[in-house]
Amino acid sequence: MSKEQYCSPHPAHAPLLLAAVCAHWRSIATSTRDLWSSLNFQKSSLAEDDTELLLLWLKRSGSRPFSLRLVLEPAQSQPSASLTAFLSTVFDHLTRFTSLVICVEGSCSVLAESKSQILILQELSLDVEWDDLTVTQLLCNLFRSSAMKSLTYVNFRGFRSDSSPRLDHDWTNVTRLYLAYEMSVMECGWILSQCRRVCEARFELVGYWGESSTDPLVFAPMLLKYLRQLEISSLEDLSPLFNAFNSHSLHAMRISLPRSADPWPHIPFIDWIQRTGCRLQELRICGPVTEEECAEIALIAGIYPTVSDAPGM
C-alpha cells in the first residue's frame, strides 16, 4: 500500500491541478473517471469541507471502483464531528470501494454502526486505538457476511478481540495478512489455517488478556503451499504452530520472542525444518536463542540465522 496509489486533494496536485489549467482541460479532467477513483488524506485533522471533497471525488469517479486512504498524523485524541461525518460518508458508499485504509486514534463509534455491505472490497487496512472495541464489533459483523469474500489484503492493528467473537471469515482469497492486536496463539493458528492462499503473513501478538487454558494446544495439520514470508511476534509458546503447519515454499521467516518468555522453541523448529524440507533464504530470530542452537539450525536448514536481542517486529 503506497501513497502513489492515491490521488491528493491538494490544488497543486492532479487531478485538481489539471482541472484548473483552462476550461478545456477542466472539461477533460472532470470527465476522466479514473483520475478521481482514489483519494489520499494525510493530515493532522479533518475539516468540514473534507467530506465535501470526498463526495466530489465519488461523484466524478462515476461507477469506477474507489480507493481511499485516511491517515491522521498526529492522531486526534478525541473524535471530531468532521471525522464522524467523513467516516459516515465512507461507509454509506462502501459498495464502491476496492481499497480502504483508515489510520486514526480515538473511539469511532460510526464504524460499528455501519450497516453497509462490502461487495467488491479487496484491500482493507484499519489502524485504530488499542481499546476501541467498536471496531472489533464492526469487523466481526462484516466478516460474517459473504460479501467480504473478495478480500485479498487484510491489515488490522490496534483493536481488542478478547471480549469479542473470533473473526469468523472465509479467508480463502486472502494472499497478504497482517494482524497486530491482543490475540492468543490459538486464534493466530486458527486464522492461519484458514488462509489457504496466503503468500505473506505477519502476526504481532501484542498481549492476550483473555482466559488461558491449561490444556496443551494442538492444531490440526495445515498445508500453506503458497506461503513465502512469515513473521510472528508472540508472548506465548509457538511450538504448537511449528508442530502443525507445513509450507514447502517458505523463503523468509522472522520469529520474535521476549526474553521473559519461555525458552525459544528450538526442538519444534528443528522438527519443522526436517519435516517440511523447505530451504529458507532468510531467517531472523529475536529472543533467547543460544549459539549451539543457531549452529544446529544452520546445519539442518542450510542457513545461519540472524539473531537479535530486540523482540520487536
Side-chain angles (χ1 to χ4, degrees):
M1 304 291 288
S2 63
K3 297 179 182 178
E4 289 71 18
Q5 287 185 257
Y6 306 91
C7 293
S8 169
H10 196 280
H13 299 157
L16 291 180
L17 176 63
L18 299 177
V21 174
C22 63
H24 180 62
W25 278 49
R26 177 179 177 82
S27 176
I28 295 176
T30 55
S31 61
T32 305
R33 306 303 187 192
D34 288 339
L35 286 176
W36 309 88
S37 62
S38 67
L39 186 58
N40 178 46
F41 280 98
Q42 185 164 351
K43 52 201 307 186
S44 59
S45 62
L46 289 176
E48 292 183 5
D49 59 355
D50 288 330
T51 298
E52 297 177 6
L53 277 174
L54 173 60
L55 289 170
L56 175 65
W57 249 255
L58 288 167
K59 178 180 178 181
R60 290 183 176 176
S61 62
S63 59
R64 294 290 191 274
F66 199 82
S67 300
L68 173 69
R69 182 175 185 266
L70 171 64
V71 179
L72 300 186
E73 298 177 344
Q76 300 179 139
S77 59
Q78 295 294 330
S80 66
S82 298
L83 175 60
T84 300
F86 188 92
L87 291 177
S88 295
T89 301
V90 169
F91 281 87
D92 285 343
H93 296 82
L94 273 182
T95 55
R96 291 277 312 280
F97 283 74
T98 57
S99 177
L100 178 59
V101 177
I102 298 178
C103 181
V104 299
E105 185 175 340
S107 179
C108 300
S109 59
V110 65
L111 294 178
E113 296 168 0
S114 171
K115 298 298 189 296
S116 301
Q117 284 195 331
I118 301 179
L119 300 179
I120 59 174
L121 192 65
Q122 298 174 2
E123 301 186 344
L124 178 60
S125 177
L126 296 178
D127 190 341
V128 297
E129 187 177 281
W130 287 108
D131 60 351
D132 192 349
L133 297 179
T134 62
V135 178
T136 306
Q137 179 183 339
L138 163 75
L139 294 173
C140 290
N141 291 339
L142 290 178
F143 270 44
R144 294 190 187 99
S145 170
S146 60
M148 295 285 280
K149 286 186 177 181
S150 58
L151 277 178
T152 60
Y153 170 84
V154 177
N155 180 10
F156 298 153
R157 293 181 56 87
F159 58 88
R160 296 176 59 176
S161 66
D162 57 287
S163 60
S164 302
R166 186 166 56 186
L167 293 180
D168 291 326
H169 174 55
D170 184 348
W171 301 84
T172 303
N173 294 317
V174 174
T175 58
R176 291 181 295 157
L177 176 65
Y178 307 104
L179 300 180
Y181 62 95
E182 294 171 354
M183 64 188 298
S184 65
V185 170
M186 176 180 291
E187 184 177 1
C188 169
W190 182 87
I191 292 177
L192 191 59
S193 69
Q194 308 301 307
C195 301
R196 299 301 184 182
R197 298 182 183 178
V198 66
C199 299
E200 302 174 16
R202 181 171 64 207
F203 294 90
E204 295 183 48
L205 314 186
V206 297
Y208 181 65
W209 305 106
E211 295 182 2
S212 299
S213 174
T214 56
D215 299 328
L217 288 181
V218 178
F219 294 117
M222 59 182 84
L223 176 60
L224 304 172
K225 59 182 179 180
Y226 302 107
L227 184 63
R228 296 177 58 85
Q229 298 181 34
L230 175 64
E231 299 184 19
I232 298 183
S233 176
S234 175
L235 295 171
E236 298 183 66
D237 183 14
L238 296 176
S239 298
L241 283 179
F242 288 127
N243 292 332
F245 89 93
N246 190 349
S247 178
H248 300 284
S249 60
L250 194 63
H251 286 177
M253 174 182 283
R254 179 169 181 174
I255 304 297
S256 179
L257 294 172
R259 287 196 169 276
S260 59
D262 293 332
W264 201 82
H266 170 247
I267 299 301
F269 182 79
I270 292 295
D271 291 343
W272 172 78
I273 288 289
Q274 293 177 321
R275 183 180 75 252
T276 62
C278 76
R279 307 302 292 180
L280 291 173
Q281 298 176 3
E282 179 183 351
L283 174 61
R284 302 184 67 182
I285 300 174
C286 301
V289 56
T290 66
E291 287 293 332
E292 292 76 12
E293 291 171 342
C294 286
E296 186 176 0
I297 291 173
L299 180 64
I300 301 297
I303 181 174
Y304 198 90
T306 300
V307 179
S308 171
D309 290 335
M313 297 298 292

